[in-house]
Amino acid sequence: MPSEAGAAGTPQREAGRERLDGLGQVGRQRARSGAGTWVTSYQCAVCGHVFDPAVGDPDTGIPPGTRFEDLPDSWTCPVCGSSKADFEPVGG
């Protein structure tokens, strides 16, 4: 049986819409992926580079839509060469 939580016009739906409205257009594009699932970008703690799943890392063959969790363990920061373990979630 489908849940009524989050249906159009409900307080849950309105709260989510307000969060997205406060992000601006670019933030909304980065915050949402697919059918309302939240996407988290990850930032390198060493140099500040942000891995954005919507963009991927085309220089190393990582296509747009790739989640950070799905990057190979051998992936490194394209700016400073730090390991995947040096990235921290931001946003979402």
Side-chain angles (χ1 to χ4, degrees), residues 4-5 9 23 26 28-30 34 67-68 70 76 84 90:
E4 295 296 320
L23 293 173
V26 173
R28 285 192 299 274
Q29 290 170 346
R30 290 182 177 171
R67 297 180 325 147
F68 185 82
D70 294 334
T76 60
K84 184 178 169 184
V90 294

Side-chain angles (χ1 to χ4, degrees), residues 5-92:
T10 64
Q12 294 90 350
R13 173 72 93 191
E14 294 303 317
R17 186 173 294 125
E18 288 173 10
R19 278 195 306 271
L20 290 176
D21 288 345
L23 293 173
Q25 183 176 359
V26 173
R28 285 192 299 274
Q29 290 170 346
R30 290 182 177 171
R32 300 285 295 239
S33 171
T37 57
W38 290 96
V39 174
T40 302
S41 295
Y42 282 75
Q43 185 172 31
C44 178
V46 176
C47 73
H49 172 74
V50 174
F51 174 81
D52 182 350
V55 176
D57 184 8
D59 293 339
T60 61
I62 305 297
T66 301
R67 297 180 325 147
F68 185 82
E69 296 82 359
D70 294 334
L71 292 172
D73 291 335
S74 60
W75 182 83
T76 60
C77 177
V79 175
C80 71
S82 292
S83 73
K84 184 178 169 184
D86 289 320
F87 279 73
E88 300 172 353
V90 294

